[in-house]
Amino acid sequence: TGADPLGDLIDIGSGQGRVLKLLGSRAQRAVGVDIDSDARQLARAELLLAGVENCSLRKGDMYDLPFADGEFDTVILDDVLTDADRPMVALTEARRILKRGGRLFLLAKIGRGDVTSLERHFAEWCRVVDLRLATPRRIPSANARWLLAVATATDEQSVAA
């Protein structure tokens, strides 16, 4: 998966642009969405300094994203679901803007001993919004600080002839 093309990428909850700096240059187009204007301003500066030119930042609410259905090949929810008031609504919105055949990445910071709980939440949320979830990975594998899971839409095989 690391070498797969990212196509049009969106980072929901982009904050200061860490993920965009890391992956933006590998995407055809990269968009960061955050509701916090200070975070977007800092992210713009970080991306400019890093020389990542194909990224844009937009004000946006993860519960009501200003994008068309199926607009992105790669959707990243970067450590926003675990603190969300309505994680299912945010995940439903992320799924809505995901292109057919696209991938949705769920990232969450690991707290003390809550990895199993995080994995359960990811599995339940994805099941409810009709996403197929691959087995989550701990990153890095030793002394893991992050949990990463990749999901795809379950309706991929129901394409009408």
Side-chain angles (χ1 to χ4, degrees):
T1 20
D4 290 347
L6 299 174
D8 291 328
L9 174 145
I10 184 168
D11 180 16
I12 301 168
S14 58
Q16 298 172 3
R18 176 178 45 96
V19 169
L20 291 173
K21 263 176 61 175
L22 195 64
L23 299 176
S25 63
R26 290 186 38 220
Q28 182 174 328
R29 165 179 75 125
V31 179
V33 174
D34 205 294
I35 205 156
D36 182 338
S37 61
D38 291 338
R40 288 192 315 273
Q41 187 174 1
L42 189 54
R44 274 188 192 92
E46 288 289 327
L47 291 167
L48 185 66
L49 286 171
V52 183
E53 298 176 4
N54 63 332
C55 292
S56 63
L57 289 138
R58 293 206 29 201
K59 178 179 184 175
D61 182 340
M62 68 180 172
Y63 302 120
D64 185 22
L65 294 165
F67 301 100
D69 294 0
E71 189 169 336
F72 293 93
D73 301 288
T74 304
V75 175
I76 300 171
L77 283 161
D78 183 11
D79 202 29
V80 294
L81 287 182
T82 54
D83 293 327
D85 293 330
R86 299 175 292 155
M88 301 304 298
V89 175
L91 194 54
T92 300
E93 267 297 274
R95 186 188 192 288
R96 179 186 67 77
I97 64 170
L98 185 65
K99 270 186 192 165
R100 181 176 229 59
R103 294 172 298 165
L104 194 152
F105 291 81
L106 302 171
L107 259 172
K109 193 168 234 168
I110 297 173
R112 285 190 191 57
D114 69 348
V115 175
T116 305
S117 172
L118 267 177
E119 290 172 342
R120 261 197 316 268
H121 279 100
F122 280 3
E124 175 65 14
W125 293 336
C126 287
R127 184 188 61 74
V128 170
V129 300
D130 215 16
L131 288 166
R132 183 180 304 110
L133 185 70
T135 304
R137 298 191 314 247
R138 298 168 192 205
I139 302 172
S141 47
N143 300 317
R145 296 182 53 217
W146 293 91
L147 187 67
L148 169 67
V150 181
T152 53
T154 58
D155 62 1
E156 298 302 319
Q157 296 166 348
S158 65
V159 178

